[in-house]
Every structure is written in structure tokens, then in C-alpha cells.
Amino acid sequence: MSGERRISIKGGHPLEGTVRISGAKNAVLPILAASLMSTGPCRIKDVPNLTDVRVMIEVLSNLGVKVGWEKGTLIVDAKEARTDEVSADLMRRMRASNLVLGPLLSRFHRVRLSHPGGCSIGSRPMDLHLKGLHKMGARFVERFGYFEVEAERLKGADIHLDFPSVGATENLIMAACLAKGTTVIRNSAKEPEIIDLQNFLNALGAKVRGAGLDVIRIEGVSELGGGCHHVIPDRIEAGTFMVAAAITEGDVKITNVIPEHLEPVTAKLRETGVIVQEENDAIRVIGTKERKGIDLKTMPYPGFPTDMQPQMMALLAVSEGTSVISETIFENRFKHVDELRRMGANIRLEGRVAIIKGVDSLSGAFVEATDLRAGSALILAGLCAENGTVVEKIHHIERGYENLVDKLVALGASVQLDDTYVDDVYGE
């Protein structure tokens, strides 16, 4: 059998205590990409030590950027960055690697990239990115699995996105920072991570306004310098721990959060009967024995996040009554359903809709993380399951959660990170 690491869990332990949330993965990655446009050193604070972050650092290093760690802070110096082709291997390892497209094109006027990789949760085409760049004057061809994009200097344009794509919004904002004139992005994504990117870029000397709204305006500047920025907390990690407290009927205080970013998750947890108390920069979640099923539909922010759908499904699988989840963002985001069924969940799929009939309890099993958020859902299911659970292929989970096992153990969970298969996980 494979020697890949896995997580073994003995369920039945209510989580109690306090957990601090790390910096947001989905904010750090575009910020690191944006640093390619700076001519001075950037200090980026509260950067999580994740697989995806390390891959992005490799991408930057591959382009001649100097990157160093200093106690949770990344010091990035892109003064001597170059426009070499990013290796196809690095591009395949992470979807967000495509975020270097806008910055490289804006600064160096030419870029050649292979198709990006990442979790196979659905189609995430590059057409919105390329369509927007084309309006800004870019020329591109696609051949042999590569994008080749050129522009003498990008020009400001009025761009309307067909869908409020987060990646396309971020790429176009970055591309517009060094473009000639003003760029307007309409129907832009509103995620908090985009506001964080705006704040970072403006700290470097960019002129971006409107992030978080339908329309973003960017006035191009001649160059960006260095700067300092503190990354926002990871709202998906926070939401995952909120569900962990609920599913184990525990009592957990989650610190270093922005409660407003978690309002969709908070609302749905309260609808099930879970107690959620908000503070300035913390949230306390108290699980209850009696939880009821709810209806849930994933939507672009400020709707319920697709990245929290698998975790909520784990909770609803052991909540009384029938729940209905409609997934509107990614067509393949139900891969965790078969694994939850292995643990005794009663879930029926009808296209992009999941009908969940709550059961009294789940049973431990050997299950497989098919993607990042599916893996976290299986860990949550294992925390409340009878007997033991082993979650395999945890490299997916390590892409997005920093020190997850240590944080769970500190809250009283019986969780262990293993390098070999654990045969006695079902024992006492």
C-alpha cells in the first residue's frame, strides 16, 4: 500500500477551547502574484505555511523573485524578476498559479503559461481572464497546452464580466495597475479577498477603488514600489472550525476572524439550531444536541460560499429531518458524497442538488479526500462518528489548512497524523 500520509480520527470528543485562525490562503495567493509588479521589497504578514503558498513561492522563485520567511512574514523582492516561462509542473500543481498572468503581462508585456491545475471540482476556464485582457489590448494564442499572451503596454478598458469570477477579477485588477489610462471592471466578484488585494496594491502605490462592489476602477500608474501588508483571516478555515464545534456538540471560541465575512455561514448554522455568538474579532460556537435540516444554495459572495458546502453537508448528514443543498458554482463539487455514504450518511444526488436525510450517527470508515474542502468535510464527519475514521490523500487538505491536526488536538479531538496505515484506529 501507498505510504502517503493520512489522518486517523477517533470520534465522540466534543471540541472545547480556543483556536486562532491563520491568514487567508485565497488572499495570500493573489497578493504574492501581485508582488511580481513591485520594484521594492514587500513584507506580507500572517502568511500561512501551506502547500499552495509554497508552490506559489516556487513559481515566484522560478521567475527570479527573492522570497524569504521571517516568523510568519514573507519578504518578497521582485526587483530582478524576469518573464521566463513558468514550468508546466508548477502550473499543474495549483489553480491559482494562473494569477501571475496579469502581473507578468502588465510589467513585462509578454507571458507564456501552461494550463493551471488544482482540485478537479469543476470547469474553471480562462476565457474571462483572456477576454478582459484582450479588451486591454493583449494578443494571445493557445497551442500545445500553453497560453502565449503579448501586449506592448496594456491600455485601460471598460470590461463587463459575464460571471463575477474571483480569479478573473483579480487578474484584471492586477493587469490594470500598470496599464495606460483607467480600467473599469463591471460585475466584478465581491469576495473579501479581493478587497485585501486592493489594499495591498494601494500600499504599493496603485490606484484601485471599488473592491467589494459591483464596479471596480483602476487608474494605471507607471510603477509600483514596495510596501507592508497584513493578510486578512481565512474565513473558510474559520467556517470549518465553526462546523467542527457544531458537529461535535462542543463549545469553541474562534479568534482572529472578521465576523462580517462569515455572515452566510453564521446564518445557516443558527438556522440549524446551533448557537453562534459574535464578538469584535472572535466567534463562539456552541453545538446543540437537537439540530434540524435546512435548505442551502451556494452563491457568489455575499452568498453562501461553495468552499463551505462540503463541511455543511457533513453537519446536515447528522441533523434531524431533510436538507437540500443546491450547488450553483462548481459542477463536480459533490465528490465527497460517496465518501460520506461510506460512513452511513443518507444522501441522494439529483444533478447539482443533494437531498440529505439526517441519520442518528455516522460510522467510522476508511475514506479518501478527493479535494481540499471534501477532505475537511470527511474530517468533520470523523470527529462525530462512532469508532475510528482514516482519511487518506490528505495532501489535498494540506493545501488549505495550516496545522489542522495540531489545532484540533488542542481543542480535545483524538486526531493523529500518520505516515503509514493505521490498523488499530478502530480499537480502544
Side-chain angles (χ1 to χ4, degrees):
M1 284 188 172
S2 169
E4 183 181 340
R5 299 201 304 171
R6 58 201 52 81
I7 292 173
S8 59
I9 309 162
K10 290 183 181 178
H13 300 275
L15 301 189
E16 296 181 346
T18 301
V19 61
R20 183 187 185 278
I21 298 305
S22 301
K25 172 182 87 83
N26 290 336
V28 168
L29 297 178
I31 284 171
L32 286 174
S35 70
L36 279 164
M37 297 186 292
S38 67
T39 56
C42 301
R43 295 180 63 86
I44 308 167
K45 300 180 179 180
D46 208 8
V47 176
N49 188 2
L50 303 169
T51 304
D52 273 10
V53 172
R54 293 194 293 272
V55 172
M56 182 61 88
I57 290 172
E58 284 190 63
V59 170
L60 296 183
S61 298
N62 205 23
L63 294 166
V65 178
K66 297 177 182 177
V67 185
W69 283 96
E70 188 180 284
K71 296 181 180 178
T73 297
L74 272 184
I75 297 93
V76 183
D77 188 348
K79 184 177 181 179
E80 298 180 6
R82 54 186 184 268
T83 183
D84 293 358
E85 175 186 312
V86 179
S87 77
D89 176 62
L90 286 175
M91 291 294 293
R92 280 194 298 266
R93 285 164 58 187
M94 183 180 62
R95 176 69 189 181
S97 57
N98 68 354
L99 291 172
V100 301
L101 172 59
L104 286 176
L105 184 63
S106 191
R107 181 175 175 183
F108 298 109
H109 316 301
R110 179 185 177 278
V111 61
R112 185 173 188 262
L113 300 175
S114 68
H115 285 280
C119 288
S120 56
I121 56 176
S123 176
R124 293 183 282 186
M126 290 289 294
D127 59 329
L128 295 180
H129 305 241
L130 298 173
K131 190 176 178 181
L133 291 172
H134 178 68
K135 291 205 71 173
M136 298 173 71
R139 304 175 300 277
F140 58 88
V141 295
E142 182 180 357
R143 55 188 175 189
F144 309 122
Y146 282 84
F147 294 106
E148 296 181 8
V149 191
E150 293 183 354
E152 291 181 9
R153 185 183 179 187
L154 294 173
K155 299 177 182 178
D158 196 307
I159 301 167
H160 188 285
L161 295 176
D162 296 332
F163 176 82
S165 160
V166 174
T169 299
E170 291 170 339
N171 239 334
L172 295 173
I173 288 173
M174 292 185 285
C177 284
L178 298 178
K180 184 178 180 179
T182 300
T183 299
V184 179
I185 305 172
R186 305 182 189 277
N187 194 32
S188 57
K190 305 180 183 68
E191 273 70 5
E193 294 79 13
I194 293 172
I195 300 173
D196 210 35
L197 175 62
Q198 171 183 274
N199 293 340
F200 172 71
L201 289 166
N202 288 346
L204 304 185
K207 296 181 179 179
V208 186
R209 57 191 175 94
L213 304 174
D214 285 315
V215 180
I216 300 174
R217 288 179 170 82
I218 308 101
E219 183 182 337
V221 298
S222 58
E223 69 173 15
L224 298 179
C228 186
H229 181 75
H230 199 124
V231 177
I232 60 171
D234 195 312
R235 61 193 171 99
I236 304 303
E237 183 193 4
T240 301
F241 275 99
M242 291 171 72
V243 176
I247 204 168
T248 63
E249 299 172 12
D251 184 348
V252 177
K253 183 177 182 179
I254 303 159
T255 64
N256 190 41
V257 300
I258 300 174
E260 291 79 8
H261 292 174
L262 292 156
E263 286 178 354
V265 177
T266 296
K268 286 301 177 181
L269 283 176
R270 284 175 172 162
E271 199 175 324
T272 69
V274 172
I275 299 169
V276 183
Q277 300 172 346
E278 298 181 9
E279 300 177 16
N280 288 335
D281 61 354
I283 289 179
R284 182 183 177 188
V285 178
I286 304 171
T288 53
K289 290 187 179 297
E290 295 182 3
R291 294 185 305 269
K292 62 181 180 180
I294 60 170
D295 291 350
L296 184 156
K297 184 178 184 179
T298 64
M299 296 287 287
Y301 190 87
F304 192 89
T306 181
D307 280 356
M308 281 300 303
Q309 177 259 108
Q311 300 91 310
M312 280 297 294
M313 184 180 289
L315 176 68
L316 297 175
V318 286
S319 298
E320 186 178 353
T322 300
S323 299
V324 178
I325 294 179
S326 301
E327 173 59 59
T328 72
I329 309 298
F330 294 124
E331 68 270 21
N332 293 332
R333 191 135 225 183
F334 282 144
K335 290 188 174 182
H336 49 285
V337 168
D338 285 341
E339 303 303 294
L340 288 173
R341 284 170 175 161
R342 289 166 63 87
M343 301 179 70
N346 185 347
I347 306 169
R348 186 175 85 255
L349 294 182
E350 294 182 1
R352 289 195 179 192
V353 176
I355 298 110
I356 305 123
K357 292 186 177 180
V359 296
D360 291 336
S361 63
L362 298 176
S363 300
F366 277 78
V367 290
E368 182 178 295
T370 54
D371 60 70
L372 168 55
R373 306 307 174 185
S376 63
L378 296 175
I379 289 175
L380 295 177
L383 290 173
C384 75
E386 297 176 349
N387 301 315
T389 298
V390 175
V391 182
E392 302 170 352
K393 294 194 175 180
I394 65 166
H395 63 274
H396 289 297
I397 300 168
E398 292 173 330
R399 288 184 46 238
Y401 292 92
E402 183 179 43
N403 301 326
L404 179 59
V405 169
D406 291 341
K407 289 180 179 181
L408 288 171
V409 169
L411 294 174
S414 180
V415 182
Q416 181 179 331
L417 187 62
D418 299 304
D419 291 316
T420 57
Y421 280 91
V422 179
D423 295 323
D424 63 349
V425 68
Y426 296 95
E428 295 299 324

